[in-house]
Every structure is written in C-alpha cells, then in structure tokens.
Amino acid sequence: MTSWTDYLAQQGASVDTDARPTLRFGAAADEARVAGEQTVAVPLLHLGLIRSVGPESAPFLHNLFSNDVNKLAAGQAQWNSFNTPKGRMLASLLLWPEGEGHALVASADIVPALAKKLSMYILRSKVKLADASAETALIGLSGANAATLLGRAGLPLPEGGMQQAEANGVRVVRLQDDLYLLAVATDAAAATFGALLEAGAAKAGTAAWELATIRAGLPLVTAATQEEFVAQMLNYEVIGGVNFKKGCYPGQEIVARTQYLGKLKKRMYRVAGDAGALPAAGSDLYAPDFGDQSAGKLVNVAPSPAGGFEALAVLQSSSAEAGEIHLGNPSGPLLKLLELPYALP
C-alpha cells in the first residue's frame, strides 16, 4: 500500500521540514491564488495530533486547559489554550471527544514537547497521552463549495460551526462556514484525499490553509510565538476558546484578571503587507506611539493572492487605532489593517 507521504509525492508535493513541516504543490503565491478562487484540499502536515485516552480524560484536560472540557458534548469541538502559570500561551489547541478520550490538534513543531509536558501532570489520573501524529493524518478543506464536495465524496457533514461528524473512519470538524478539518488514519488518508479531488477540490499546500485561517481570524501558536501572548491577545475568548466560569487551570488567574479588570492593551488584528520576502511569525512590529519599542508581533503569515502577504498580528490597540504600523523596525514597510470576520470587544 502506498504511504501517505509517498502518495503526496506522487501528486507533486514537496515538503520543507527546516522548521516545521510545510507542504506545497507549486509556488506558495500560486496556491494562495487558487485558494481564493476554488475549494481546496490541503494536507495539514504543519499540524500534529495528541491523543488522550482513559476514563478520566475529560477531567484531566479540563483541569489544564482554558475551556470547559467536562461539558463538551460528543458531537462538538472547541478551541483551548494551554498556558504557563503566568497566563502566557504555550499552545493553541483544537480539541474534540472521540472514542474513549479526546484528540488535541496543535502546531506540529510543538507537539512532541507539548505531549511530554502534559504527561507530567498525569500523576494518578486514569489517562494515557501519546503523540498520534504519525498514525493520524489531518486534511483541510476550504472554500465556498466545501460542504457540497464533502457530500460528493461520501464524507460526513457536521451541521454547524465547531461541531463534528464521523463515519467510516473519517472525522470531519467544521471550524467555520466553508472551513473543515478532517482526521483519518494515515493508511486511509490517500483514499480520502483522492475522493476530495475527484469530488472537485483543487489540491493545495500549507500556505493555502494558513491564508484561510488568517482570514477566518483563527490563530495558531507555533514554536516562534510560545509564551508571547495571553489568550485574549489572540482573541481567544471571542472565538470561544475561554470559559470564565470553570475552575482553576494553569494561568487562570491572569486570564481572568485580564478579562475583568480591563487591563488588556493588545489585541489580534489582520494585516497585509507588500514586503518581498515572506516575514516570519514572531517578527516585531513598530508604531510611532511606541518609538523604538516593539508595538506587537506577527502571529501567522501567508502569501496573498493579490501579492505580498496577509497575517494575523498582535498589536497595541492604541497603535492599531492610529493605523501606522511598520514591519521589522520603526521605518520598515508599512502594513495595512484589514477586517476580521468577527467584532472585537
């Protein structure tokens, strides 16, 4: 049987693993353009999956993460953050119940260390954690015809946002309208991906998915941005990733204080730039009201179909309101603020 990676190579994919796995079928700018015009299927090699199994999986994860895992129904999914005691995000997580436990999706470059760190909290809990990235393939489907193509491919269709459906070994999570994540055993991934292509999806690489999530306002914490942000700086309470009525978890006091004492001075915005080379996540941003001091950082970056790039960026709200944001240094290229699909508080 052809392996998942061998199949992708046969489809013309190349993978860059210098930092975190990045896949492309062609030039990133071309794939971004395709993603803006068609519904695309994307192998999500830049994401990894941790599996939590055991009768105490829900309470174990509930005590560690920012959302209410205990009340998460079988057909739902939720965003979560895992924080340092000082409230800084170590990981942004997509979590859903499955079988006898839960699946946790995070950036692939932090998954091995994250699995190890979470395991340190197990103690006497009846739960086992494992990095399941090698045995589970993740595929993204993005575009206006995504729901139709799932039906054509004979794949399950969740009814609403942050809901999931599973059939014949394929799990589909609906993140937003027209944005889906599929989880399937690695040895069945080629058949699933092929079914999506036969149904009419265009194949595309990592850049296409990152552009879709940037436009959806859904951030991904990577190794470059760990411990940089409190959850609300990434709009996590806006997208449903924080529950303020649940009990304690690492960093909970800081997250709650930020919410209720009105001390939040930074927010995540969507920006665009014309820089020739694609800037890296974690790059500093500058604004006149902060002089030589950084006014924010890039979170996620992808090529734009119009040229240049689009990104999610955490910025001082005062700098964003003033509207003059520079990349890299106080006199660096100017960035343009774009709209997010949701309103900020």
Side-chain angles (χ1 to χ4, degrees):
M1 180 180 294
T2 304
S3 73
W4 177 222
T5 51
D6 288 343
Y7 168 82
L8 293 175
Q10 292 171 6
Q11 290 289 318
S14 60
V15 180
D16 178 4
T17 57
D18 286 346
R20 61 190 180 114
T22 302
L23 178 143
R24 54 188 171 83
F25 290 100
D30 292 338
E31 294 193 331
R33 184 167 56 254
V34 171
E37 300 170 351
Q38 302 179 49
T39 296
V40 294
V42 181
L44 303 179
L45 302 190
H46 68 295
L47 301 179
L49 186 141
I50 297 170
R51 190 156 276 124
S52 172
V53 179
E56 295 182 351
S57 178
F60 171 74
L61 299 175
H62 180 88
N63 290 335
L64 292 176
F65 297 161
S66 62
N67 219 333
D68 193 331
V69 182
N70 281 336
K71 294 183 179 179
L72 185 62
Q76 296 178 328
Q78 65 180 196
W79 299 108
N80 266 287
S81 71
F82 177 52
N83 312 316
T84 69
K86 294 184 179 181
R88 296 282 166 161
M89 288 180 66
L90 287 166
S92 56
L93 298 158
L94 174 66
L95 181 151
W96 65 79
E98 60 172 30
E100 298 179 353
H102 299 79
L104 291 64
V105 173
S107 181
D109 59 354
I110 67 173
V111 161
L114 178 62
K116 183 176 180 180
K117 189 171 186 66
L118 292 174
S119 295
M120 295 170 59
Y121 290 88
I122 291 178
L123 302 177
R124 296 180 181 177
S125 297
K126 295 178 181 179
V127 62
K128 293 183 179 180
L129 291 178
D131 181 349
S133 303
E135 65 190 50
T136 305
L138 301 173
I139 300 170
L141 188 66
S142 170
N145 293 324
T148 300
L149 298 192
L150 284 170
R152 285 183 194 166
L155 298 171
L157 177 64
E159 293 183 359
M162 298 310 290
Q163 294 187 23
Q164 59 155 323
E166 190 273 338
N168 300 320
V170 181
R171 189 176 304 274
V172 180
V173 182
R174 186 172 185 170
L175 305 180
Q176 289 187 0
D177 288 345
D178 306 332
L179 193 63
Y180 297 82
L181 183 144
L182 286 66
V184 58
T186 304
D187 59 6
T192 301
F193 192 75
L196 291 171
L197 299 186
E198 290 178 9
K203 58 188 177 186
T206 308
W209 181 257
E210 291 188 316
L211 179 64
T213 53
I214 286 168
R215 290 180 169 180
L218 301 176
L220 179 69
V221 172
T222 63
T225 55
Q226 283 185 302
E227 298 190 50
E228 291 287 351
F229 313 117
V230 174
Q232 291 99 318
M233 293 181 188
L234 292 183
N235 303 341
Y236 239 59
E237 89 284 24
V238 180
I239 65 173
V242 182
N243 185 300
F244 294 103
K245 296 181 180 179
K246 62 168 287 185
C248 294
Y249 56 90
Q252 183 265 346
E253 182 179 352
I254 303 300
V255 174
R257 186 185 305 164
T258 300
Q259 186 72 12
Y260 295 118
L261 297 184
K263 292 186 177 181
L264 187 65
K265 296 181 179 180
K266 291 183 177 180
R267 274 286 180 190
M268 187 178 73
Y269 301 86
R270 181 170 155 239
V271 300
D274 296 323
L278 202 65
S283 297
D284 284 306
L285 303 176
Y286 295 83
D289 56 332
F290 275 77
D292 292 336
Q293 293 185 347
S294 171
K297 289 182 178 291
L298 294 180
V299 182
N300 304 119
V301 187
S304 170
F309 66 91
E310 294 181 26
L312 294 175
V314 169
L315 289 166
Q316 294 282 344
S317 296
S318 60
S319 301
E321 290 170 4
E324 184 178 340
I325 308 297
H326 296 266
L327 172 64
N329 61 72
S331 58
L334 273 171
L335 302 183
K336 178 183 179 181
L337 286 165
L338 304 176
E339 290 186 357
L340 286 167
Y342 48 74
L344 296 178

